[in-house]
């Protein structure tokens, strides 16, 4: 279901950043395919992606996944450099090619080069039917994927989603092959049955919202816009000084926090860094934004749960007589480092579907329209095209996740001692 990262110290934070950064794709290289059982073709040969429809049944909290056009292009991504996920990917691709020959398999360039030699037979042992893998640049791949399948842990999902940047993410089908599984309702052993449900429009999805982060460098008029499925956090990093951050909500000054940093999370990210910093656990069905301080100097600064319509602005400040060169603040989004922030820089964070701007406050960009000027039908249409739809097992996946993975409200365990050892 959700991510959890046990990191509160700076060293753990740096380790986490490196961990997720390592999932980024390497530079593009020329593919070499010498296998007689597989062929690598350019993904540009495929049609552009087809959008699925999500319908909410009257007696369900999940949305039904409906394909009006047949599912055709499936993007598969995996945890890198692990034999287990490599074998699972080959098994999964072989099953799809055998059972659904009309479905095209898309992989990243490095993955294609890695697994092309692992196919041991052609389809139905026909020498004229090798396994076909499509690949190309990330931009070419993301504009053609109808479905995203991930094989690994929660970090693999974050990596797969990040490939789409600020664009619409296709439905996500995640199989557990990693160490953490908050976002992973399915074991890989179920892949045949689950994919059958997905392709036949019998699967259900949980809608997860994303945050939009607008980074404004001091004096710049062009914001850098990035989306977050999990969290956005500001941290002093290796600086010897605590970060001074001025926080505004809907144009109203809230407070200046002097702390290691602050994190803004979606409900999905509530079990990630926010939880380690003392934030609440929030169901993904609750429309909200979590504001959690990281080791604040003032113990009265407690975590906040804000409406999802909030417009949050955080500006980097400084103490008097403080050397500005030592006041760099690190910005990370879903574990991926962004540009460092200096004094005067600010971020604006809203829900992906937009917000209601109070007292004339606006985002520093003309690309986002004021939600006050939109009617209900336009907002509803935007919601359906925003966020991430993850294939789910039941409405109880979240409850099961915090019990099985977190050991929620677990009692103390008493170990019976051997009398001879006393």
């Amino acid at each position: 279901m959700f991510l959890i990262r046990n990191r509160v110290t700076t060293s753990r934070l740096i380790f986490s950043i490196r961990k997720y950064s390592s999932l980024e794709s390497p530079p593009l290289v020329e593919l070499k395919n010498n296998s007689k059982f597989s062929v690598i073709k350019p993904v540009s040969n495929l049609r552009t992606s087809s959008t699925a429809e999500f319908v909410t049944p009257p007696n369900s909290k999940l949305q039904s996944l409906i394909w009006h056009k047949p599912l055709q292009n499936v993007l598969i991504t995996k945890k890198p450099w692990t034999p287990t996920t490599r074998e699972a990917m080959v098994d999964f691709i072989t099953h799809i090619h055998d059972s659904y020959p009309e479905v095209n398999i898309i992989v990243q360039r490095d993955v294609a080069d890695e697994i092309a030699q692992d196919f041991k037979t052609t389809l139905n042992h026909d020498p004229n039917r090798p396994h076909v893998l499509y690949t190309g640049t990330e931009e070419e791949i993301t504009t053609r994927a109808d479905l995203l399948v991930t094989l690994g842990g929660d970090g693999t999902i974050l990596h797969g989603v990040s490939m789409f940047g600020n664009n619409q993410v296709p439905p996500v089908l995640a199989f557990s092959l990693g160490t953490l599984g908050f976002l992973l309702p399915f074991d890989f052993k179920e892949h045949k049955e689950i994919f059958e449900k997905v392709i036949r429009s019998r699967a259900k999805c949980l809608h997860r919202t994303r945050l939009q982060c607008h980074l404004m460098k001091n004096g710049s008029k062009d914001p850098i816009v990035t989306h977050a499925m999990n969290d956005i956090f500001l941290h002093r990093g290796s600086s010897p000084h605590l970060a001074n951050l001025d926080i505004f909500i809907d144009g109203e000054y809230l407070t200046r926090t002097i702390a290691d940093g602050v994190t803004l999370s979606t409900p999905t990210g509530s079990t990630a860094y926010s939880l380690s910093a003392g934030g609440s656990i929030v169901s993904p069905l609750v429309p909200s934004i979590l504001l959690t301080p990281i080791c604040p100097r003032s113990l009265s600064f407690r975590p906040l749960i804000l409406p999802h319509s909030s417009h949050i602005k955080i500006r980097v400040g400084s103490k008097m007589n403080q050397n500005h060169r030592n006041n760099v603040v690190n910005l990370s989004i879903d574990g991926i480092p962004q540009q460092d922030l200096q004094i005067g820089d600010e971020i604006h964070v809203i829900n992906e579907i937009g917000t209601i701007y109070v007292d004339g406050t606006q985002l520093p960009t003309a690309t986002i329209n004021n939600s006050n000027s939109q009617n209900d039908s336009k907002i509803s249409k935007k919601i359906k095209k925003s966020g991430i739809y993850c294939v789910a097992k039941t409405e109880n996946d979240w409850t099961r996740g915090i019990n099985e993975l977190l050991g929620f409200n677990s009692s103390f365990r008493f170990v019976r001692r051997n009398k001879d050892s006393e």
Side-chain angles (χ1 to χ4, degrees), residues 74-78 92 147-151 171-175 195:
V74 177
L75 168 61
I76 307 177
T77 183
K78 71 180 186 69
F92 189 63
L147 176 72
L148 170 62
V149 177
T150 67
L151 308 173
V172 178
L173 174 59
F175 291 104
F195 188 79

Side-chain angles (χ1 to χ4, degrees), residues 215-224 339 344-346 364-365:
L215 168 60
M216 290 294 299
K217 301 295 289 184
N218 193 11
S220 173
K221 295 183 180 180
D222 297 318
I224 301 172
Q339 289 189 30
D345 295 345
E346 58 188 37
T365 172

Side-chain angles (χ1 to χ4, degrees), residues 215 217 234 316 327-329 331 339-342 345 347:
L215 168 60
K217 301 295 289 184
L234 301 169
V316 179
N327 205 39
V328 174
V329 175
L331 171 65
Q339 289 189 30
D340 290 340
L341 274 60
Q342 309 287 340
D345 295 345
I347 63 169

Side-chain angles (χ1 to χ4, degrees), residues 78-139:
K78 71 180 186 69
K79 184 177 181 180
W81 318 119
T82 57
T84 303
T85 55
R86 183 170 173 169
E87 294 171 5
M89 176 173 272
V90 172
D91 290 344
F92 189 63
I93 293 174
T94 301
H95 169 67
I96 292 179
H97 281 161
D98 286 340
S99 303
Y100 311 97
E102 72 280 8
V103 174
N104 303 307
I105 299 298
I106 305 173
V107 295
Q108 293 170 274
R109 285 178 179 263
D110 58 323
V111 175
D113 200 25
E114 180 184 353
I115 70 169
Q117 312 300 321
D118 290 350
F119 295 96
K120 303 305 180 184
T121 62
T122 54
L123 294 174
N124 298 323
H125 299 282
D126 184 347
N128 297 319
R129 296 185 61 196
H131 293 274
V132 179
L133 304 176
Y134 292 90
T135 191
T137 65
E138 285 198 354
E139 182 179 358

Side-chain angles (χ1 to χ4, degrees), residues 35-51:
S35 173
K36 62 180 179 181
F37 303 123
S38 64
V39 173
I40 299 176
K41 294 185 178 182
V43 72
S44 56
N45 292 350
L46 303 179
R47 63 153 173 79
T48 56
S49 59
S50 177
T51 304

